[in-house]
Amino acid sequence: MASKFGMAGGIPERRVRPVWDAIDSRQFKNALKLSTALLSKYPNSSYALALKALILERMGKLEEALSVCINAKELLYKNDSILIDDLTLSTLQIVFQRLDHLDMATSCYEYACGKFPNNLELMMGLFNCYVREYSFVKQQQIAIKMYKIAGEERFLLWAVCSIQLQVFCGNGGEKLLQLAEGLLKKHIASHSLHEPEALSVYISLLEQQAKYGDALEVLSGNLGSLIMIEVDKLRIQLAVLCLLFVLQAGSLCGNNLFAPWDRGKGRLLARAGDYGGAADIFQKVLRLCPDDWECFLHYLGCLLEDDCSLPRVANSPSSQVSTSMDCKHRHLADDVFDSRISRASEFVEQLIAEVGSDSVRGPGLANLEIERRKLIFGKGNANKLMEDLILYFSRFGHLACFTADVEVFLQVLPGDRKKELLEKLGKSVTSSSTASKNVLGQHITLFKIRELIGDMFSLPEGDLVGFAVQMTEMYCQNLPLSKDLDIQESVYGEEFLTMTCNVLVQLFWRKQHIGYLLEAIMMLELGLTVRRYVWQYKILLLHLYSYWNALPLAYERYKSLDVKNILLETVSHHILPQMLTSPLLVDADDLLKGYLRFMDEHFKESADLTFLAYRHRNYSKVIEFVQFKERLQRSSQYLTAKIEGSILHLKRKANSIEEAESALESLNYGSDFLDVSNEIQSKKLTFNEDLQLRPWWTPSYDKNYLSGPYEDMSHHPRENPRNEVKEAEAKVTRTIEKRSLLPRLIYLSIQCASSSVKGNFNVNGFDSKVSSELKSLLECYANFLGLCFQDAAELVIGVSCGQKSFEVFSSNLIDWMNFAVFLNAWNLNSRKPNSSDGQAFAINWQVLCSVLEQCISAKISSTRPLLSSPGTDLSILIQLVTEPLSWHGLIIQSCVRSSLPSGKKKKKGGPSEHSNTQLSNEIKNSISSLYGMIDQVIKWLEEQTDKPIDGNVDILLSSLAREQNDDAPGKVVKILENLVSSVNDIEVGERISQALRSWKPADAARKIVTAQGTALTEFLNICESKAKVLQALKLQI
């Protein structure tokens, strides 16, 4: 049982302490030496063995550590006289967990608890094991046992939380919740509750069962005194009360709680509860916290009896308040609406009188919301809303949050009134007499609003150039305001460069002049020399460099963001898709490994956070941590990274059939990913990317407006993104399913091709099984391409012989070429006389090579020079070489290897006297054809990389015209050059002055040229390595 005083695991503490000191100081060799000496004195001590195992694990000797741990475990089981304490067991648990054998640690605790059934310390250790395994049922059972032994409130709450987790994770229902409620009621009757968190658990349990009336009763009774802060208590009461109203109305309205309600449903909602009483409580909260905007929306929602401003139900995934125009309250009679909206207006006026007009934003926003609701109801006045917006602008227009504050109110204004509002706001700024920093903030806000309403997209090009010049000048003029700021503090007016970049990119889109893109890049680079911590500049540069095929620079900018921890999940979408289709295979591998390392470590450590929440009695966090972990496990990006990481590993090993087969073996020959593909539809993927951080021209990873012709937009591209996001998510899901088939398809294709060359077919039925499975996967793959297997195969054959246009593959070119490669491998077996599958197609090595040659030639001829043609899609050509051509090369290598006499494989480049008789001319011709394709790409790449860097830099710089009498690019750079040449240390400060002098426009052009050259050189190296392999194969045969 428990250790005696001064003892550690049955060993005197003075003998153990030196070992732990060595471990803590990371002197593992010394620790191991001390541990070995300790074991010699206490050979039957499980604790001494556990310590040694811990040291070995820290030293990286994992197999030896596991062996020692198992010995310690067996020693515990065999000898009843051995002391079993939590210190020994917890040490074993640490090692077993790190070695991914948590089940062994659990079995140790289960044995100990069986031996000492009333030991709370051991039972808590067992509960911890079940938390790590996410065994909610076992958590509940052991927690109830502890509660029965000790009668402590915390153990009962552990059991209740475990029950809630079973329900949240879909493994329980109403009966479990009733059990938890019964346990709590019984405890309350005998002992009451003593902690606010216990009351929160009880309330959440009642909410889960939709017992909102009971929850209100509990809060109003004696238990409500546990919530000491009055505002918190009022908010909980209000949330439950509103949920009660919504529930009652929902049961009358077909249980669709949050759909827009028509008049009939609205009348039913009005009869659902005492909205007036709820509104009164909201007023109390607002008087205590007048800046609580969400609370005001709930208040107004109760007055107007609409659904969109009420809190969500307890198990809803979101608690955000909707402010869309779908919130309608037409069911209210005109006089009722007038009286209630008047009541709201009077209350807001009282708030403004009490707190002042310029101290908090809530009352000002409340006035705007009231006018918005009037417009929605058909009783509003656009002029009044505009007046309130101008008033709000005069008070808070200098704040960075202003645009986000008023976005929803601008939506109800017609287009012409938005432009009128812009003019009035502009006049109010020019006539302002406030401090210079506030005026600067108002100017920034004015340009942000212009962007938000899409006004920039309707302006003529000359006006756009004028705005770009104006914003750049304002940035330069206001630099002295930042003279005394720390380097980590935001520079005044730094938003101007972001908005100027957006204008310059739009000008490029309109006029297809690379000077605008170059100018935007130079300007952002200057901004980073002034302050290197501006993440907005880095993200914009990342996407501009990616678009211009300067991916090494883009990756450098991504690394400078210093993305860590959970931001890897939300931010890496800016660079990951581009890296996966780039020739930077090593960098892409590092990126994927870093992301997967974080995710896997988080999944291991998240249980520690959960148990910590249990120990500290923060039960709401228990559920939050578990749900967060489950959300991450269903992350679309996590699945993508796992699959693409495996495919990338195969790409890097594709030059050697032996290395590729070893890689496939480590992936269980692709079988594990087939399970992923089958499970995707059954579990809903989560999409955690923060798309709002992306530039306007690329709202999602697979969409870029700059790649298409200019569209004359009357609105901002982000105005209606919801449908686009849903389409992108559906596309990602299908892509994951499709790509998860690739490792298995590659393995089966190699096996099929190899067996087609060997002399003895269908050994033990293996050949037949491989062929059947490959066909089944090809049928599935064809379905992802939108055709049945038969039609997809005939389409490939039709294109090869010129019956169909090559353009039919354009939307999914890589997928079609992969399909063609795998189809040919399967067809090799199907054509054999004893094949169990009688179906065969006219595809063969020649047909496949013809399709691949057409593809390569078409992409090379259509690929424009990278320097003068930003947006050139080089990634397709790269993927063709690294995927279908690589898989085809592996299949050829397999055939050549199988054709060599067993036990007499020739050295690389050595002649083979038997190969010509065993290897068909088709395979020989395929090797020559594939070599010709790779050689064609090599020649094109050499043409691109042979151009002198200085000449390319001059070409770029020449795109910046110096004439000032037209709208050509160069004006923004000219302003910045004037700033640098006239900079004054006294005026802007020594730090900013030195930073500006270090900026040289030509450096940006040189970096672009160098980065493009680096990417092309990496691609050239890939191609040359494949050419060498094919040359060696030629010599072998």
Side-chain angles (χ1 to χ4, degrees):
M1 291 179 63
S3 297
K4 295 180 180 179
F5 182 76
M7 304 288 283
I11 303 174
E13 189 175 352
R14 60 186 175 80
R15 296 192 178 275
V16 176
R17 175 52 52 192
V19 181
W20 275 112
D21 289 341
I23 293 173
D24 292 340
S25 60
R26 302 185 65 82
Q27 298 176 13
F28 297 128
K29 288 185 178 179
N30 185 37
L32 183 61
K33 182 179 178 181
L34 293 170
S35 173
T36 304
L38 189 67
L39 261 175
S40 65
K41 293 183 179 180
Y42 301 93
N44 294 322
S45 170
S46 296
Y47 181 62
L49 281 171
L51 269 180
K52 183 177 181 180
L54 178 66
I55 296 165
L56 289 170
E57 188 276 329
R58 295 285 178 90
M59 296 175 72
K61 300 179 179 181
L62 304 186
E63 291 184 3
E64 193 176 346
L66 180 60
S67 176
V68 173
C69 254
I70 292 173
N71 290 339
K73 176 188 170 188
E74 291 174 350
L75 194 61
L76 280 176
Y77 284 20
K78 287 179 181 177
N79 195 341
D80 290 340
S81 64
I82 287 182
L83 186 71
I84 298 179
D85 66 344
D86 187 60
L87 182 60
T88 302
L89 293 174
S90 62
T91 306
L92 283 173
Q93 182 194 37
I94 291 171
V95 184
F96 276 131
Q97 181 186 351
R98 289 178 176 170
L99 297 174
D100 289 327
H101 286 282
L102 188 57
D103 56 321
M104 292 188 180
T106 303
S107 66
C108 289
Y109 269 104
E110 287 174 339
Y111 172 78
C113 288
K115 193 171 181 181
F116 305 103
N118 294 324
N119 188 311
L120 278 179
E121 188 178 25
L122 295 179
M123 294 174 79
M124 288 173 67
L126 180 56
F127 181 83
N128 185 13
C129 287
Y130 290 148
V131 169
R132 294 179 186 280
E133 292 180 348
Y134 295 92
S135 301
F136 305 133
V137 175
K138 292 181 178 179
Q139 285 177 215
Q140 171 197 337
Q141 293 168 347
I142 195 68
I144 289 177
K145 284 183 182 179
M146 287 188 286
Y147 174 66
K148 288 179 179 179
I149 292 171
E152 292 184 29
E153 182 176 287
R154 58 171 173 158
F155 297 135
L156 175 62
L157 293 172
W158 288 11
V160 170
C161 275
S162 300
I163 290 172
Q164 286 184 298
L165 287 171
Q166 292 176 58
V167 176
F168 277 127
C169 296
N171 298 323
E174 187 176 345
K175 290 185 179 179
L176 278 176
L177 294 175
Q178 290 173 354
L179 170 63
E181 184 185 356
L183 290 170
L184 275 173
K185 280 184 175 179
K186 186 176 180 181
H187 180 83
I188 291 169
S190 57
H191 300 88
S192 188
L193 294 177
H194 301 92
E195 298 178 17
E197 270 290 317
L199 178 59
S200 297
V201 171
Y202 190 22
I203 295 300
S204 68
L205 189 64
L206 293 172
E207 286 183 11
Q208 274 185 276
Q209 300 176 82
K211 295 183 177 180
Y212 301 116
D214 293 349
L216 280 172
E217 187 177 341
V218 170
L219 284 170
S220 303
N222 294 331
L223 290 176
S225 61
L226 288 173
I227 302 176
M228 306 300 293
I229 302 175
E230 183 66 18
V231 173
D232 291 344
K233 184 175 179 179
L234 287 171
R235 282 177 176 153
I236 295 173
Q237 286 178 325
L238 283 166
V240 176
L241 185 60
C242 290
L243 288 169
L244 174 62
F245 298 161
V246 172
L247 174 77
Q248 293 172 348
S251 64
L252 296 170
C253 300
N255 293 319
N256 186 4
L257 305 187
F258 303 113
W261 294 344
D262 58 19
R263 296 183 183 180
K265 292 181 180 179
R267 295 191 190 97
L268 292 173
L269 177 61
R271 294 198 299 268
D274 183 8
Y275 283 101
D280 289 340
I281 301 178
F282 275 123
Q283 282 193 358
K284 292 180 182 178
V285 175
L286 286 168
R287 288 190 188 281
L288 294 170
C289 302
D291 211 22
D292 190 333
W293 174 235
E294 185 174 353
C295 183
F296 177 79
L297 290 175
H298 294 333
Y299 164 70
L300 198 58
C302 284
L303 283 181
L304 302 180
E305 300 176 15
D306 64 35
D307 65 310
C308 64
S309 297
L310 295 177
R312 303 302 198 199
V313 290
N315 58 354
S316 171
S318 172
S319 60
Q320 293 183 354
V321 177
S322 171
T323 54
S324 71
M325 291 183 64
D326 292 334
C327 300
K328 298 185 180 180
H329 17 71
R330 291 284 187 178
H331 58 277
L332 292 180
D334 287 359
D335 57 336
V336 175
F337 177 84
D338 291 341
S339 64
R340 293 184 181 180
I341 207 75
S342 297
R343 174 184 170 184
S345 297
E346 291 171 3
F347 174 63
V348 171
E349 292 301 324
Q350 292 174 14
L351 281 181
I352 292 175
E354 290 173 6
V355 303
S357 58
D358 297 329
S359 56
V360 293
R361 293 162 25 235
L365 287 172
N367 267 332
L368 293 172
E369 179 65 13
I370 288 170
E371 292 303 321
R372 188 181 80 94
R373 296 298 184 97
K374 287 181 182 179
L375 282 170
I376 292 173
F377 195 79
K379 291 198 146 196
N381 186 333
N383 289 330
K384 179 66 168 66
L385 178 59
M386 288 171 62
E387 289 175 8
D388 287 345
L389 282 167
I390 294 170
L391 180 62
Y392 189 73
F393 179 79
S394 67
R395 295 169 178 167
F396 305 107
H398 61 285
L399 299 178
C401 61
F402 179 89
T403 310
D405 284 350
V406 303
E407 180 177 359
V408 68
F409 309 117
L410 294 174
Q411 291 175 4
V412 299
L413 288 176
D416 57 334
R417 306 312 294 271
K418 291 177 183 177
K419 292 182 179 179
E420 182 182 344
L421 176 65
L422 273 176
E423 293 177 5
K424 292 183 177 181
L425 291 178
K427 291 178 181 177
S428 69
V429 172
T430 55
S431 61
S432 176
S433 58
T434 56
S436 57
K437 292 179 182 177
N438 286 358
V439 173
L440 174 63
Q442 289 180 334
H443 276 292
I444 293 170
T445 296
L446 190 60
F447 282 112
K448 283 184 178 179
I449 293 176
R450 194 178 290 278
E451 272 191 337
L452 179 65
I453 66 176
D455 181 62
M456 292 290 193
F457 289 89
S458 60
L459 294 175
E461 293 165 0
D463 290 354
L464 285 177
V465 173
F467 278 126
V469 169
Q470 183 183 355
M471 287 189 287
T472 307
E473 287 176 341
M474 293 187 74
Y475 173 82
C476 298
Q477 291 166 4
N478 287 281
L479 270 179
L481 295 175
S482 307
K483 173 183 177 181
D484 299 321
L485 294 180
D486 184 79
I487 189 172
Q488 295 192 13
E489 292 183 272
S490 296
V491 171
Y492 288 104
E494 67 183 22
E495 298 97 328
F496 281 129
L497 297 191
T498 303
M499 292 184 287
T500 302
C501 173
N502 290 335
V503 171
L504 291 172
V505 171
Q506 189 194 152
L507 283 166
F508 164 76
W509 189 25
R510 290 191 185 192
K511 303 182 73 172
Q512 292 298 303
H513 196 308
I514 63 170
Y516 294 114
L517 278 191
L518 181 60
E519 200 168 20
I521 288 171
M522 290 176 171
M523 176 194 64
L524 292 172
E525 290 289 1
L526 177 136
L528 285 177
T529 59
V530 173
R531 193 172 85 90
R532 64 176 181 271
Y533 299 103
V534 190
W535 59 265
Q536 293 93 334
Y537 296 172
K538 295 177 182 179
I539 287 179
L540 288 170
L541 283 168
L542 185 160
H543 286 281
L544 289 173
Y545 287 139
S546 295
Y547 180 69
W548 215 335
N549 284 295
L551 202 55
L553 268 180
Y555 185 53
E556 182 182 319
R557 280 299 168 212
Y558 173 78
K559 289 191 291 185
S560 71
L561 285 168
D562 198 23
V563 177
K564 294 177 181 176
N565 301 327
I566 197 59
L567 285 178
L568 287 165
E569 171 70 4
T570 60
V571 176
S572 58
H573 65 92
H574 289 285
I575 192 66
L576 185 57
Q578 299 96 296
M579 294 296 289
L580 292 178
T581 59
S582 77
L584 309 179
L585 302 185
V586 175
D587 290 334
D589 191 48
D590 291 342
L591 182 64
L592 285 170
K593 284 181 178 176
Y595 169 76
L596 290 172
R597 189 185 308 114
F598 159 73
M599 295 292 279
D600 293 337
E601 288 177 357
H602 174 79
F603 293 145
K604 288 181 181 179
E605 297 170 0
S606 60
D608 294 333
L609 295 174
T610 305
F611 186 68
L612 199 63
Y614 273 116
R615 293 294 293 262
H616 288 274
R617 308 183 186 190
N618 196 341
Y619 305 112
S620 60
K621 287 295 179 185
V622 169
I623 295 173
E624 182 181 324
F625 288 149
V626 172
Q627 289 182 321
F628 182 68
K629 178 247 183 187
E630 288 202 342
R631 179 178 178 85
L632 281 186
Q633 282 184 319
R634 292 183 287 111
S635 162
S636 61
Q637 188 164 257
Y638 179 57
L639 278 178
T640 298
K642 287 175 70 176
I643 293 166
E644 294 295 342
S646 301
I647 295 173
L648 179 62
H649 188 45
L650 289 171
K651 289 180 184 179
R652 298 183 67 187
K653 303 298 183 182
N655 287 343
S656 167
I657 183 65
E658 289 80 12
E659 291 183 8
E661 286 179 332
S662 176
L664 284 167
E665 184 180 2
S666 69
L667 300 173
N668 194 21
Y669 306 106
S671 296
D672 294 341
F673 289 122
L674 292 184
D675 297 333
V676 171
S677 180
N678 296 329
E679 292 172 1
I680 284 177
Q681 293 301 329
S682 62
K683 62 179 182 180
K684 189 177 180 181
L685 295 183
T686 58
F687 298 86
N688 306 316
E689 299 88 351
D690 189 355
L691 298 179
Q692 292 300 314
L693 298 182
R694 296 183 70 90
W696 65 264
W697 64 86
T698 172
S700 62
Y701 81 93
D702 62 338
K703 186 175 183 63
N704 195 313
Y705 287 110
L706 305 184
S707 298
Y710 173 69
E711 303 172 22
D712 189 7
M713 295 184 178
S714 58
H715 62 277
H716 196 275
R718 287 192 184 275
E719 195 164 299
N720 296 305
R722 190 173 302 173
N723 292 335
E724 292 182 2
V725 169
K726 286 183 178 179
E727 290 174 5
E729 290 177 355
K731 185 176 179 181
V732 167
T733 302
R734 288 183 63 82
T735 300
I736 292 173
E737 290 182 84
K738 179 173 57 184
R739 299 283 288 177
S740 63
L741 302 178
L742 273 182
R744 187 65 178 172
L745 282 168
I746 294 167
Y747 169 73
L748 294 174
S749 296
I750 290 172
Q751 296 303 310
C752 265
S754 178
S755 65
S756 71
V757 177
K758 291 175 181 176
N760 47 345
F761 304 121
N762 208 19
V763 179
N764 297 324
F766 173 77
D767 175 53
S768 176
K769 290 178 182 178
V770 168
S771 181
S772 298
E773 185 183 355
L774 180 54
K775 182 187 176 185
S776 176
L777 291 182
L778 283 172
E779 288 171 346
C780 185
Y781 202 84
N783 289 333
F784 285 121
L785 297 175
L787 293 175
C788 67
F789 176 59
Q790 179 86 19
D791 292 345
E794 290 176 355
L795 183 61
V796 171
I797 297 166
V799 171
S800 71
C801 61
Q803 294 177 357
K804 295 184 182 292
S805 170
F806 181 75
E807 296 299 320
V808 296
F809 295 151
S810 58
S811 59
N812 293 292
L813 182 60
I814 304 302
D815 297 328
W816 274 109
M817 293 303 100
N818 283 337
F819 175 79
V821 169
F822 303 139
L823 177 65
N824 177 62
W826 170 79
N827 206 52
L828 294 174
N829 263 359
S830 298
R831 290 184 292 166
K832 293 189 302 188
N834 60 342
S835 174
S836 61
D837 192 337
Q839 187 180 20
F841 295 96
I843 189 169
N844 51 39
W845 296 98
Q846 184 180 354
V847 170
L848 174 61
C849 290
S850 172
V851 173
L852 292 173
E853 284 172 359
Q854 289 183 53
C855 192
I856 293 291
S857 298
K859 291 314 296 181
I860 289 178
S861 61
S862 64
T863 303
R864 297 169 296 173
L866 304 186
L867 197 65
S868 59
S869 304
T872 297
D873 198 356
L874 184 63
S875 65
I876 298 295
L877 187 59
I878 295 168
Q879 281 182 282
L880 282 171
V881 172
T882 57
E883 290 197 23
L885 295 193
S886 292
W887 315 146
H888 186 43
L890 281 173
I891 291 168
I892 290 175
Q893 290 181 62
S894 172
C895 291
V896 172
R897 182 182 61 180
S898 298
S899 70
L900 295 173
S902 178
K904 294 183 72 176
K905 293 185 180 180
K906 300 296 180 182
K907 293 181 181 179
K908 237 180 188 180
S912 174
E913 55 189 36
H914 298 287
S915 294
N916 290 333
T917 60
Q918 295 184 354
L919 195 63
S920 70
N921 288 327
E922 287 181 321
I923 300 177
K924 296 178 190 175
N925 294 335
S926 293
I927 295 173
S928 298
S929 176
L930 185 55
Y931 180 83
M933 295 180 228
I934 299 294
D935 190 55
Q936 190 179 358
V937 178
I938 289 174
K939 289 177 180 177
W940 180 82
L941 287 170
E942 287 174 344
E943 288 178 8
Q944 302 298 314
T945 55
D946 282 347
K947 298 174 183 176
I949 292 178
D950 290 339
N952 284 335
V953 171
D954 291 339
I955 291 173
L956 276 185
L957 294 176
S958 66
S959 66
L960 297 176
R962 298 302 177 179
E963 298 82 6
Q964 301 297 310
N965 56 356
D966 57 12
D967 300 330
K971 293 182 173 59
V972 168
V973 170
K974 183 65 176 177
I975 294 169
L976 298 177
E977 287 176 335
N978 292 338
L979 169 68
V980 171
S981 63
S982 61
V983 67
N984 188 309
D985 287 6
I986 298 175
E987 186 177 1
V988 299
E990 184 179 356
R991 182 185 64 80
I992 294 179
S993 176
Q994 289 179 353
L996 288 173
R997 290 195 184 100
S998 68
W999 174 79
K1000 293 178 176 57
D1003 288 349
R1006 186 170 295 277
K1007 284 181 180 179
I1008 293 170
V1009 172
T1010 304
Q1012 287 183 347
T1014 301
L1016 290 172
T1017 301
E1018 289 291 332
F1019 188 22
L1020 180 61
N1021 292 337
I1022 292 172
C1023 293
E1024 288 177 341
S1025 66
K1026 293 187 181 302
K1028 288 179 182 178
V1029 170
L1030 293 170
Q1031 283 180 327
L1033 286 176
K1034 280 184 181 181
L1035 293 175
Q1036 274 188 288
I1037 62 176

